[in-house]
Amino acid sequence: MQHKFFAAAEAITNGSFQTKPPWKPKYMFFYGTLMDPEVLQAVLHLDETPFLQDASIRNSKIKLWTGIYPALFPCEGNSISGKAFFVECFDDYLALARWQSRYKKYVICK
């Protein structure tokens, strides 16, 4: 899923992304800066502070990727705490993809 997310972010960044694919609302898991509701509110240009649920991902651990960027890696028996946010519309998903590509923060979609 991460590969698809980063491919979409690249297409958005270089302008080759032309149409909206079929969209299904989904939860996204945040374990970095986007866990802060005010940051998420700013990224998505929301009028109100978004609701984030406590969440965790099992069998993973965080390692630094290219120096300072946290990334998830498989690790049996370990879990990562974070927040889940329900992304209802494709435009919000695109805004998160653009933010991802600009700041290189990592998000996992379920």
Side-chain angles (χ1 to χ4, degrees):
M1 187 56 142
Q2 268 187 330
H3 177 70
K4 289 180 182 179
F5 188 81
F6 291 124
E10 177 65 26
I12 291 162
T13 303
N14 70 25
S16 65
F17 195 78
Q18 300 296 323
T19 61
K20 291 183 180 182
W23 172 253
K24 287 184 186 178
K26 62 187 74 185
Y27 279 95
M28 294 185 77
F29 177 77
F30 304 134
Y31 58 95
T33 311
L34 289 172
M35 288 175 38
D36 182 336
E38 291 176 358
V39 173
L40 185 58
Q41 182 178 8
V43 169
L44 296 179
H45 306 288
L46 301 173
D47 293 332
E48 297 179 12
T49 305
F51 174 73
L52 295 163
Q53 295 178 287
D54 290 334
S56 63
I57 291 188
R58 292 181 283 166
N59 299 322
S60 296
K61 68 178 178 177
I62 295 176
K63 285 185 161 186
L64 294 181
W65 186 267
T66 63
I68 61 171
Y69 303 110
L72 292 184
F73 288 88
C75 181
E76 192 69 32
N78 198 36
S79 68
I80 302 298
S81 295
K83 299 287 183 178
F85 176 70
F86 192 67
V87 180
E88 294 187 38
C89 70
F90 185 69
D91 290 337
D92 286 349
Y93 179 82
L94 285 180
L96 290 165
R98 286 185 194 105
W99 190 85
Q100 286 286 116
S101 66
R102 178 179 294 162
Y103 296 106
K104 305 296 186 215
K105 305 293 182 195
Y106 297 89
V107 176
I108 292 184
C109 307
K110 274 193 152 191

